[in-house]
């Protein structure tokens, strides 16, 4: 079965980190923590901008 990168239904905000975690079979908490740490490392703005770009580009999850 071919994997498709989609936003997650198990979401905190828009499901981007959860979708990436599902796609790579990673723990969503670690992906979210890594995102926050990288965002603060690069002064937050590029991370916030990248998050919203991913939210626009990634299709929504399939309904349950």
């Amino acid at each position: 079965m071919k994997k498709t990168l989609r936003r997650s239904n198990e979401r905190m905000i828009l499901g981007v980190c959860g979708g990436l975690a599902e796609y790579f079979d990673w723990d969503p908490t670690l992906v979210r923590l890594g995102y926050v740490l990288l965002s603060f490392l690069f002064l937050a703005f590029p991370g916030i901008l990248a998050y919203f770009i991913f939210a626009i580009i990634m299709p929504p999850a399939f309904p349950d």
Side-chain angles (χ1 to χ4, degrees), residues 1-59:
M1 183 174 164
K2 184 178 176 184
K3 285 186 177 183
T4 303
L5 182 60
R6 294 186 171 277
R7 288 183 281 161
S8 177
N9 285 330
E10 304 292 326
R11 58 176 142 212
M12 297 290 278
I13 299 175
L14 294 172
V16 173
C17 292
L20 288 169
E22 287 175 6
Y23 184 78
F24 291 110
D25 293 325
W26 294 342
D27 182 23
T29 304
L30 294 177
V31 173
R32 290 178 184 120
L33 182 62
Y35 165 75
V36 169
L37 290 174
L38 285 174
S39 291
F40 283 122
L41 183 66
F42 293 106
L43 303 176
F45 179 73
I48 293 169
L49 183 63
Y51 187 89
F52 284 110
I53 289 172
F54 273 116
I56 293 168
I57 292 173
M58 290 171 67

